[in-house]
Amino acid sequence: MTQTWIDLRSDTVTQPTEAMRQAMLLAPTGDDVYDEDPTVNRLQAELAAMFGMEAGLFCPSGTMTNQIAIKLHTQPQDEVICHWEAHIHKYEAGGIAFNSQVSVKLLPGEFGKITAQQVAEHINPDNIHYPATTLVGVENTANRGGGSCYSLAEIEAIAAVCREKNLKYHLDGARIFNALIANHEQARNYGQVFDTISVCLSKGLGCPIGSVLLGNAADIHKAKRIRKVLGGAMRQAGMLAAAGLFALENHIDRLAEDHRRAQALAQALQTLPWVKTVFPCPTNIVIFHLHDAEQTQALLAYLKQQGILASAIDKAAVRLVTHLDFDDAQLQTTLYTLQQFSHQPVSIG
Ligand SMILES: *Cc1c(COP(=O)(O)O)cnc(C)c1O
């Protein structure tokens, strides 16, 4: 018998539900390299319409949609402004340099967020010594910020700077629906603000594979050639896109449940003596720090022994992510298990 883990390492670990599998099985398909997959075309059009954008491009991963956007908006030798812990910089294997030959201006900022003022202050002057600043990237929600959200007002303030200074503006919206649900905001408002938006289907939405890049028709046309050179043009991808369409129908509103369970974990952690701090938890990512970095691995090993998987994201920081396959019974087990972990002081002498 295989063990069923309570897997809180990421929201990417979900299994497609029976109903999602049925939708995938029955999807009409065609060769998407010829633009002939009706299901892919429908997914791209529906998502673009939701965000008030002209077009979409279905890709295998969020790394690819982000990397395509960066390539689209920059020339070699340019510079991209983003948070120092942004996924596009930290977790995409150096793709900014490898694919686009551009450098980064990394900004600090609480909970993974940057401000319009910071952006304005870090645009390079027109001087031959400096790379040309051409793109700003923000992440909503911000993974390393504990699933923190920008408000639409904060997003728009940065957009105003970008417009004034003629910079492109990309949203890494791997978890954009978590932000929209938490803020009670409409996707439609985002389309007018950004040049491109990357949306992941394989995170909170619970699909097995896929991300969509949204933008205007001309940009998405160019993006298609970049996807091709990266090896991301797929054939009968409708079976995967069908999962995305199913998720747009069925898995958006339920994100509120993931947020409620994450909040319950965050609140319980706050009361435990071995926990030093818990990040504010507006969405589905719980990040907490231990008093004693030495105990981080002990905690992970203890949890694993109890059937719970979590990940360390720093020497003394642990991340728990709630998702479609984490229910209230598992929440109760996790709360109980966390409460039973007793911090063993390191013996001195
Ligand atoms: C997961 C994630 C991505 C994309 O990751 P893939 O695994 O390549 O799909 C991009 N940005 C953020 C913030 C993410 O969490």
Side-chain angles (χ1 to χ4, degrees):
M1 222 184 87
T2 54
Q3 181 175 3
T4 15
W5 295 95
I6 295 177
D7 195 342
L8 296 170
R9 289 172 302 170
S10 177
D11 46 8
T12 56
V13 301
T14 55
Q15 295 288 327
T17 62
E18 267 316 306
M20 180 181 276
R21 284 171 197 263
Q22 280 305 316
M24 295 171 73
L25 206 59
L26 299 175
T29 61
D31 190 332
D32 184 48
V33 177
Y34 293 102
D35 295 324
E36 285 174 6
D37 191 302
T39 311
V40 169
N41 290 340
R42 216 183 108 205
L43 173 66
Q44 291 172 165
E46 280 194 19
L47 208 51
M50 274 178 92
F51 282 83
M53 296 190 100
E54 286 176 6
L57 189 66
F58 184 59
C59 292
S61 72
T63 298
M64 190 179 285
T65 43
N66 280 335
Q67 290 297 317
I68 289 173
I70 294 162
K71 184 73 188 159
L72 187 63
H73 296 311
T74 62
Q75 293 298 317
Q77 209 182 350
D78 287 353
E79 190 162 85
V80 179
I81 292 179
C82 64
H83 189 273
W84 72 279
E85 292 195 299
H87 196 281
I88 57 170
H89 161 67
K90 192 178 170 88
Y91 292 126
E92 298 187 6
I96 289 188
F98 188 83
N99 297 313
S100 298
Q101 297 168 260
V102 297
S103 55
V104 282
K105 176 89 52 100
L106 300 175
L107 304 184
E110 234 187 353
F111 303 121
K113 290 164 56 179
I114 58 176
T115 66
Q117 189 186 340
Q118 278 179 297
V119 171
E121 284 168 0
H122 287 90
I123 297 166
N124 290 333
D126 185 9
N127 171 322
I128 59 159
H129 293 87
Y130 301 128
T133 309
T134 50
L135 173 64
V136 176
V138 294
E139 200 172 298
N140 201 19
T141 68
N143 172 23
R144 299 275 309 188
S148 59
C149 306
Y150 285 87
S151 67
L152 188 60
E154 292 170 319
I155 291 275
E156 282 173 339
I158 297 174
V161 175
C162 291
R163 266 196 305 275
E164 190 196 325
K165 301 292 183 182
N166 209 18
L167 311 179
K168 298 292 181 177
Y169 192 22
H170 172 70
L171 171 64
D172 178 352
R175 296 189 178 83
I176 183 59
F177 285 109
N178 295 88
L180 293 173
I181 290 285
N183 287 345
H184 306 286
E185 285 169 354
Q186 298 299 314
R188 177 155 281 280
N189 296 328
Y190 272 65
Q192 298 138 23
V193 177
F194 290 100
D195 292 290
T196 44
I197 299 178
S198 161
V199 180
C200 283
L201 305 168
S202 56
K203 300 273 168 84
L205 293 186
C207 296
I209 297 170
S211 288
V212 179
L213 183 67
L214 304 174
N216 68 35
D219 277 349
I220 294 302
H221 181 70
K222 280 191 218 159
K224 230 184 231 182
R225 181 176 273 121
I226 304 169
R227 183 183 67 174
K228 185 68 183 162
V229 79
L230 296 177
M234 299 182 286
R235 302 293 178 172
Q236 282 70 26
M239 297 188 80
L240 304 173
L245 284 166
F246 180 88
L248 295 183
E249 283 283 313
N250 299 286
H251 290 172
I252 293 179
D253 291 342
R254 63 153 306 285
L255 290 171
E257 290 180 42
D258 296 345
H259 298 178
R260 171 177 59 77
R261 294 185 184 110
Q263 188 54 231
L265 289 168
Q267 282 179 12
L269 282 160
Q270 242 142 24
T271 68
L272 300 176
W274 44 270
V275 173
K276 187 176 168 198
T277 48
V278 184
F279 278 16
C281 178
T283 58
N284 70 328
I285 300 178
V286 185
I287 291 178
F288 61 96
H289 285 76
L290 285 78
H291 282 291
D292 183 357
E294 308 262 329
Q295 288 295 313
T296 307
Q297 290 309 317
L299 172 66
L300 294 188
Y302 158 80
L303 288 173
K304 190 166 179 181
Q305 202 177 42
Q306 305 299 317
I308 299 169
L309 302 178
S311 40
I313 60 157
D314 259 321
K315 276 205 222 35
V318 172
R319 188 183 79 157
L320 307 173
V321 188
T322 61
H323 52 69
L324 184 61
D325 289 349
F326 179 68
D327 61 19
D328 282 328
Q330 292 181 324
L331 171 64
Q332 291 313 316
T333 305
T334 306
L335 290 171
Y336 176 79
T337 307
L338 284 167
Q339 277 147 4
Q340 299 307 305
F341 179 69
S342 49
H343 175 265
Q344 300 297 322
V346 184
S347 65
I348 300 163

